[in-house]
Structures are given as C-alpha cells and as structure tokens.
Amino acid sequence: KLLALPAAALLLVASPCVSFQTSKLATRTTRTKIAMTSSSEQQLLKDDLVALASSTRRGFSASRKDRDKAKSIINELSKLSPTEEPAAAYYSDTQATSDDIVPSLAGKWTLIYTDAPDITSLDSPLSIQKLGRIGQECDPPLIKNVIEWKRPDWASSLPFSGDEDSRILQKIVTEGASTPADNSTVDLKLVGLEISGTNGSMEEANSGLVNSLLNGPAALLEQNPIKLQGPLKGPFGKFDILYLDDEMRISKTYQGYYAVNVRQEKGNEWF
C-alpha cells in the first residue's frame, strides 16, 4: 500500500500533463486547419476575380452587376489579406521594419481589373493609338504608372506608322510614402513623365534618326526617349492596399475606385 501511493500520485501528476499536451496539439491542429481553409478560400476568391476580370476585358466592358460582383469579391478578399503592413516597402529608411519585406509592394505589376473611369475611358476606337497593357512599376520610393500604346489597326496601311510590334510606353512617375501608423496607405506626389518606344526591329532601331522618323513614332522614341522631371513635386492622391500576397495586389484610390494587379513573373516582364 505504501508503494501504491507514489504510483497513484504519479498517475495524478502525469494525467494533467498529457491532457495539456493533447490540448496544445489540438490547438495547433485547429490553427493549421483554419490557415488551410483561409488559403483555400483566398484562392477560390482570387480565381473568381481573375475570371471576372477576363470576361469583362479588365473591367472595361463591365456592367453594374459585374462591378458589384467584383466589389463583393474584393471585400471578402480584403478580410483574408496575409500581409499586416502592405505599404511597408514605402516607409522611410528609419521607419522600415525589415530589409526583406515579404510579400512586398515592390516589383512590377500588370493591371487585370479596374472600375476607374480615367482608365476605362482610354480604350476608345477613335484614339490615334491602340491601348495595350497597363501596369505599375514599384521601385521605392518611386511608383511609375505604365501604359502601353500600340499602332491602331486602322493605321496598318499608313506610311510612317511603324509595324505591328511597335509600341510606346508612357510612364507617369510618382513618389510614394507611407508610415507604420497608416501602414496600408501610400501617399503620392507627381515627379515627372517618361515616354519611350520599341520598334521591334533591331536593324531599324539602330539605323539613325531619318530612318527612325520613317519607321514611325515608336522607332523615333526608341532612339530619343523623353524624360521630364522638374524640381517641384505636386500632390497626386493616394491609395489604400486592401489585399497583398506574392501574386496579387488590390488597391482602392482615394476617389473610391478599385484596381487589381498581378505580379509579373521574373524573366517575363513586358516593361
């Protein structure tokens, strides 16, 4: 009986310990299941948003019903954003919490959906240039809004219009800034404008100014890119980052318009 007491005592001590370990394991398992569920839900929502963007031509032909659906998906995704400080790449050097912020706003992005009228109005059949891709180059502290212009179909038979691979890149250059106190908002200041061209033919691109003129505006700008930057910086609005992961970024302008961008794969950048 005297020997039985320590054994009983040992059993009583061991039992809560086993229960505690089991509880910890159950908690970890629950957290893992929640994380997996959230990740799965994120991917489904992202897939729905990409499909909607494709069917509405980047939002350019979206109906009110389409825009409402996009807004609903965006609202759900914003609740699942995995990035606590999405604007951290644009903190000042003294405020940066890490030299290697992941996921990061920094990088090259391509627009796949927007409801901003200043963008959707660019795709006009009366334009002297054909709208191509739209993107954004985020290289702190700079943010460059990039628009690709191509030769319009109606100009294919005109002289001095370039070829089907000709393109002009227009970049609105801004400077972004954020703070830890407002870690999802980026304030913008207008810095300048850059315009460059690509004619698609290296032989023609290196053939001098006269031939550049004959080969159209893209060839001319390839030889003579424009870069305008003055000493003054003017306010250019701001945007809030609603969702950010390694593949997708969703932002909302201060006017209330949405933009969905996907990150360009390294080696497949178009600008």
Side-chain angles (χ1 to χ4, degrees), residues 141-209:
L142 298 180
I143 296 179
K144 299 181 181 181
N145 298 315
V146 186
I147 300 176
E148 178 186 53
W149 296 102
K150 298 182 177 181
R151 186 190 67 182
D153 296 335
W154 57 262
S156 60
S157 60
L158 296 179
F160 318 129
S161 62
D163 58 32
E164 61 182 2
D165 294 323
S166 299
R167 64 187 186 126
I168 294 173
L169 292 182
Q170 171 189 321
K171 298 183 180 182
I172 306 297
V173 184
T174 66
E175 190 174 276
S178 184
T179 65
D182 198 4
N183 57 38
S184 64
T185 301
V186 179
D187 289 292
L188 300 172
K189 290 183 178 180
L190 182 62
V191 174
L193 172 69
E194 297 177 4
I195 304 177
S196 61
T198 302
N199 194 45
S201 171
M202 289 303 296
E203 182 179 350
E204 292 177 349
N206 296 320
S207 58
L209 178 60

Side-chain angles (χ1 to χ4, degrees), residues 248-266:
M248 180 178 284
R249 188 195 83 207
I250 303 174
S251 56
K252 184 179 181 180
T253 68
Y254 73 101
Q255 301 106 321
Y257 299 116
Y258 297 95
V260 181
N261 287 266
V262 293
R263 193 184 298 274
Q264 295 182 32
E265 296 181 5
K266 290 184 177 180

